[in-house]
Amino acid sequence: MHGMPRIGEGRSLKKALERFWAGRIPAEELQRTAAEIRHLNWKAMADAGIDFVPSNDFSLYDHVLDAAVMVGAIPERFRTEAGPIDLDRYFAMARGGAIDGHSAAPFELTKWFDTNYHHLVPEIEASTPFVPDTSKLRGEHTEAAALGIVTTPVLVGPLTLLLRSTGSSNRYALGRLDALVDAYGQVLAELHREGVPWVRLDEPVLVEDRDAKEVQALRNAYRQLAERSDRPSLVVSTYFGSVGSALPILADLPVEAVGLDFCRGAEQLGLLQSAGGLGDKVLMAGVVDGRNVWANDLDASLALLDQLADVAAEVVVSTSCSLMHVPVSLRAESNLSDEVLPWLAFAEEKLAELATLAKGFGLGRVVVAEELDTNRMVRRARLRSPRVVDATVRQRVAGLGNSDPRRSTRSEVRAAAQQVRLSLPPLPTTTIGSFPQTADLRSARAAWQTNHIDDVAYHASLCAEVDRVVRIQEEVGLDVLVHGEPERDDMVRYFADQLAGFVLPVEGWVQSYGSRCVRPPVLVGDVSRPRAMTVEWARYAQSGTSKPVKGMLTGPVTMLRWSFVRDDQTESETAVQLALAIRDELVDLQSAGIAIIQVDEPGLREGLPLRTAERADYLAWATRAFRVVTEPANSETQVHTHMCYAQLGDIMDALGELDVDVVSLEAARSGMALAADLKAADYQGGVGPGVYDVHTPGIPTIASIEVLLRRAVEALGSDRVWVNPDCGLKTRQYDQVVPALEHMVAAARKLRAELETD
Ligand code: GLN
Ligand code: ZN
């Protein structure tokens, strides 16, 4: 199997990391917590009877950073004469920090394939030296050996490391592969000397489109590695999809075993059959889903394993990918009903599934007859549960048919009607929605959740916060206000909590990056909205001001992408159900007199399939779901959306298909390059390209905002540019937010004055 969650039960690693960074515990204590997590994981796997127990799946921050450290690809600014990288330098690479008296910028963060995990981007340039450092690998192997467990170290493979590094966009990238593979060769030799029998190399880049040169590079790399006589046996493993046409090449690599994901790459069975199988290689068959939380369909998995037995010398029952993408254990779930609990499997429960499948496959189904019976019963119950199927929802979806929902008027007509209603100045100023979640707010929420204060008291503290946020915005002089989202700790969970069709695990934490964890809701059934979710807040905020207040909703695609999805219907079907529920909310906001409604979709770009061939289809259903939400908006209701990324290339056309009146986007870090891109793509609607980056500490100056704003106006014209920050302000502090917004308003006013005198 691929690996266990590394955040520990109760997020023990997160807590230890944050205490260590705050200087409250010494390194030894952090390392002790880390070792405990590893030991518990190894024990759990060994107890479940796992043969290939991984090591090095643990990381103090990120496994891709660990791989860069392993080959010694340390950028100049972090390098030291003193030998291996110490903890301070390691964390500085991850989070930035002072190195030898200078402040050093961290590695960039980016998404790990199509998961919600983010990895650090190694910096591999033309001149980056590779100096292997196997201390972590050997350390963990020895540590497990002391517990009597022989582990398989797992490493990010050389091609994946290279193609996930900064060098990947450069011409020389593949040119570095030889040197990198040489370093991997030395690593393997050292592990061999330690007596390590097997090593797994992960090459998930094979499930993306790869050109002939890259495939050839893979072939050469593994030939070079396999040639060494002083190496352990090798597994080359892929996950998150099908390797497609690369399958024969993978099958042909001179290694001892291949790992494939049959949960997201089911077509690989057929590919294996037509390629004539894996010959004398072992197949690590990923049949237990590491990306979702549903209990395995044991009958289906056993049937698949039987078929796979014909295409490989030996089949090892495995997870589809690391279990770091699912929560640790259902044991901690106190609020899930007895009905739903057996439908689910988190990491620990998935270990039991592996054990059952291995037994059933190896020794025959009779040996696990009882487990199979229970599994069938649970699956049948789930299919029939009223929690899952809601006839009203089904009817509504059917009623939509294949229609193409669109607002009834064209954008120019809408713009005119909205201007009559709103009378906004040119270059209107606004924010993305959330205001800082203060310590007071957090402690009030915690007190309410633990029943230390009642609903009335909690509600009063939220109202006070909305009053304050409205007052601040009026004082700053913003044109379109927000209520500040004090009632939301998470833009997806807040809605999931109020919609039918979701369950919310209380301890279902999954690592997002470093010490950051998220708690995705689980979509279990048809989605509907029993009652209004946000109207009261929007109305309350609007009652306190004469300026328009923007209503704030999370869009259907983001709700879907940041949740665990159903395995019994397609994502596009679920997206339509979500869209109908959010549409109900939009209609209610509109009826309550809210003139501007923002439907956030930061998850839309993230959901883009890894294969380009699948993207058009995805974008078609994703943008349609969005339009299902906004179709009932009248001409006079202004619809906004927000997405937080500047790289729009892949979805520029889709942006037009959303048919919104105003879109706000991240633009500051790339110096407003986005504005020119939007112009080049002939995007027509209103645009609020962020004029300052909310994640950069400090207060942006009027001049810096003015520069970006001028660029936006030059590219897009002054009649459709909005002025707003890059993203929501919830993680910021008021002492920076207020002056930053004042500067933003000052810059907007300055340009407005120029427009008037022109
Ligand atoms: N309205 C949300 C906020 O301001 C949008 C968050 C996001 O872009 N991820 O917090
Ligand atoms: Zn954002």
Side-chain angles (χ1 to χ4, degrees):
M1 66 162 285
H2 287 81
M4 289 292 278
R6 52 210 190 197
I7 54 170
E9 234 177 309
R11 289 177 296 159
S12 54
L13 181 63
K14 173 202 175 73
K15 290 168 189 165
L17 280 171
E18 286 170 1
R19 269 183 228 131
F20 173 70
W21 293 332
R24 284 167 46 212
I25 58 168
E28 296 72 43
E29 199 170 326
L30 171 63
Q31 297 290 15
R32 206 160 36 239
T33 303
E36 257 163 44
I37 295 171
R38 290 192 293 265
H39 293 188
L40 286 173
N41 282 343
W42 284 324
K43 285 268 299 150
M45 290 186 277
D47 289 349
I50 305 291
D51 296 312
F52 288 84
V53 171
S55 57
N56 198 46
D57 59 327
F58 178 82
S59 177
L60 279 174
Y61 201 95
D62 169 42
H63 59 283
V64 182
L65 174 62
D66 293 348
V69 171
M70 176 192 82
V71 295
I74 310 297
E76 186 104 43
R77 62 189 187 282
F78 300 105
R79 243 173 262 162
T80 159
E81 300 296 303
I85 286 295
D86 59 23
L87 217 47
D88 287 343
R89 275 168 215 268
Y90 177 82
F91 286 131
M93 286 190 275
R95 316 167 62 230
I99 294 295
D100 306 329
H102 306 281
S103 93
F107 286 15
E108 255 180 68
L109 260 186
T110 196
K111 270 171 68 71
W112 180 237
F113 297 87
D114 58 353
T115 70
N116 291 328
Y117 177 74
H118 300 75
H119 73 91
L120 291 161
V121 181
E123 297 175 15
I124 299 185
E125 309 298 336
S127 58
T128 307
F130 298 124
V131 189
D133 169 3
T134 56
S135 48
K136 177 175 187 294
L137 286 170
R138 286 183 291 116
E140 289 187 21
H141 187 75
T142 315
E143 214 177 281
L147 301 172
I149 301 167
V150 180
T151 58
T152 301
V154 298
L155 324 176
V156 175
L159 189 68
T160 296
L161 182 61
L162 199 58
L163 294 180
R164 279 288 166 277
S165 73
T166 48
S168 66
S169 50
N170 297 324
R171 268 174 297 113
Y172 60 76
L174 285 182
R176 299 299 333 263
L177 190 60
D178 266 353
L180 185 59
V181 169
D182 201 53
Y184 271 80
Q186 294 174 48
V187 169
L188 292 180
E190 281 182 37
L191 293 177
H192 181 68
R193 267 200 298 284
E194 294 277 310
V196 172
W198 283 87
V199 169
R200 201 186 74 223
L201 295 157
D202 289 348
E203 295 288 8
V205 287
L206 291 179
V207 309
E208 300 172 308
D209 299 335
R210 299 267 73 100
D211 63 27
K213 260 214 258 50
E214 291 165 335
V215 172
Q216 187 56 39
L218 173 89
R219 219 186 233 149
N220 295 342
Y222 281 89
R223 202 169 288 156
Q224 195 179 324
L225 286 178
E227 257 170 20
R228 302 190 74 113
S229 56
D230 55 346
R231 65 166 177 89
S233 298
L234 297 179
V235 192
V236 177
S237 175
T238 65
Y239 37 79
F240 303 151
S242 165
V243 300
S245 59
L247 193 113
I249 288 117
L250 191 60
D252 214 35
L253 293 182
V255 295
E256 287 66 35
V258 164
L260 297 173
D261 173 350
F262 291 96
C263 298
R264 287 185 175 237
E267 65 156 22
Q268 293 174 125
L269 168 64
L271 293 174
L272 273 173
Q273 288 164 336
S274 47
L278 286 177
D280 57 1
K281 285 195 192 48
V282 176
L283 172 62
M284 309 279 179
V287 295
V288 170
D289 195 351
R291 292 280 297 274
N292 214 332
V293 291
W294 297 104
N296 196 272
D297 179 346
L298 298 176
D299 285 317
S301 295
L302 285 172
L304 174 61
L305 288 167
D306 283 343
Q307 285 179 287
L308 290 173
D310 296 333
V311 292
E314 192 190 334
V315 173
V316 174
V317 185
S318 176
T319 47
S320 64
C321 63
S322 169
L323 297 180
M324 65 180 280
H325 304 293
V326 297
V328 175
S329 166
L330 281 172
R331 263 184 302 121
E333 293 309 323
S334 47
N335 75 328
L336 294 182
S337 72
D338 289 346
E339 183 190 14
V340 172
L341 262 177
W343 300 354
L344 304 176
F346 291 174
E348 239 177 58
E349 292 75 28
K350 284 173 191 284
L351 288 182
E353 293 180 341
L354 284 174
T356 306
L357 288 170
K359 258 194 246 163
F361 174 60
L363 307 171
R365 284 162 171 74
V366 283
V367 184
V368 290
E370 211 171 296
E371 286 92 334
L372 292 181
D373 266 348
T374 314
N375 185 252
R376 283 178 205 131
M377 235 163 55
V378 168
R379 293 187 62 78
R380 263 200 304 273
R382 182 179 154 208
L383 275 178
R384 279 201 301 259
S385 167
R387 254 180 203 283
V388 174
V389 184
D390 178 335
T392 320
V393 174
R394 297 284 164 113
Q395 263 161 26
R396 258 187 110 185
V397 172
L400 279 179
N402 293 322
S403 65
D404 180 21
R406 304 240 167 212
R407 293 173 74 185
S408 56
T409 41
R410 286 157 29 98
S411 59
E412 308 84 69
V413 178
R414 302 193 310 245
Q418 290 158 16
Q419 187 52 16
V420 170
R421 180 175 186 188
L422 297 166
S423 325
L424 293 170
L427 306 176
T429 53
T430 190
T431 61
I432 304 304
S434 58
F435 268 71
Q437 293 262 332
T438 58
D440 284 353
L441 207 50
R442 281 180 217 276
S443 57
R445 181 175 307 121
W448 173 65
Q449 280 165 347
T450 50
N451 295 322
H452 284 84
I453 61 171
D454 63 11
D455 291 357
V456 177
Y458 180 53
H459 195 260
S461 70
L462 293 177
C463 288
E465 188 65 20
V466 173
D467 291 340
R468 186 160 90 110
V469 169
V470 168
R471 202 181 57 241
I472 288 172
Q473 294 174 92
E474 290 206 310
E475 282 166 9
V476 165
L478 291 162
D479 301 306
V480 171
L481 312 194
V482 295
H483 79 289
E485 304 177 23
E487 76 288 10
R488 307 181 191 178
D489 52 348
D490 175 314
M491 65 186 287
V492 167
R493 212 172 154 90
Y494 177 74
F495 288 96
D497 197 19
Q498 300 184 70
L499 291 169
F502 282 96
V503 297
L504 279 72
V506 277
E507 281 296 326
W509 296 101
V510 174
Q511 188 178 26
S512 169
Y513 64 88
S515 67
R516 206 50 109 76
C517 302
V518 293
R519 244 182 332 169
V522 183
L523 272 156
V524 295
D526 292 341
V527 178
S528 61
R529 187 204 65 149
R531 63 193 74 80
M533 305 180 282
T534 66
V535 176
E536 184 201 353
W537 292 118
R539 198 190 267 140
Y540 181 72
Q542 186 65 81
S543 71
T545 176
S546 55
K547 300 265 181 76
V549 170
K550 221 173 8 172
M552 269 314 138
L553 303 175
T554 300
V557 186
T558 302
M559 291 296 298
L560 185 82
R561 284 296 301 151
W562 295 356
S563 301
F564 287 114
V565 295
R566 290 172 68 168
D567 61 352
D568 57 349
Q569 66 183 24
T570 62
E571 292 194 352
S572 64
E573 287 170 299
T574 308
V576 174
Q577 294 183 354
L578 283 161
L580 285 168
I582 300 162
R583 170 189 171 114
D584 292 346
E585 187 70 13
L586 178 137
V587 169
D588 282 354
L589 282 170
Q590 178 167 265
S591 307
I594 301 301
I596 307 180
I597 301 171
Q598 178 171 311
V599 183
D600 290 324
E601 281 291 24
L604 193 137
R605 166 74 170 68
E606 290 193 5
L608 216 55
L610 295 174
R611 296 277 185 188
T612 42
E614 290 160 20
R615 291 186 180 172
D617 183 50
Y618 163 77
L619 289 173
W621 67 251
T623 54
R624 178 174 181 264
F626 186 88
R627 292 195 310 272
V628 168
V629 177
T630 56
E631 181 190 24
N634 301 328
S635 299
E636 303 77 40
T637 300
Q638 190 167 70
V639 175
H640 289 217
T641 190
H642 166 71
M643 301 180 187
C644 12
Y645 38 82
Q647 265 84 44
L648 275 176
D650 296 329
I651 63 153
M652 196 58 99
D653 295 342
L655 192 60
E657 283 297 288
L658 297 180
D659 192 24
V660 291
D661 300 306
V662 180
V663 56
S664 60
L665 296 156
E666 179 184 320
R669 257 185 296 182
S670 56
M672 199 50 77
L674 174 83
D677 294 348
L678 286 164
K679 181 188 163 72
D682 201 25
Y683 181 74
Q684 293 295 332
V687 184
V691 292
Y692 79 88
D693 173 22
V694 302
H695 300 296
T696 305
I699 300 159
T701 60
I702 300 178
S704 73
I705 294 174
E706 196 185 318
V707 168
L708 294 183
L709 188 52
R710 275 186 204 284
R711 285 187 199 151
V713 170
E714 270 160 34
L716 300 164
S718 58
D719 54 343
R720 60 172 173 141
V721 169
W722 282 65
V723 186
N724 48 255
D726 257 350
C727 197
L729 305 168
K730 76 171 170 214
T731 57
R732 304 292 93 191
Q733 305 287 326
Y734 270 108
D735 57 355
Q736 295 189 353
V737 161
V738 173
L741 292 176
E742 282 168 354
H743 291 174
M744 189 183 87
V745 168
R749 286 186 178 154
K750 188 164 173 209
L751 263 72
R752 247 179 238 164
E754 289 174 21
L755 290 173
E756 274 163 25
T757 57
D758 276 353

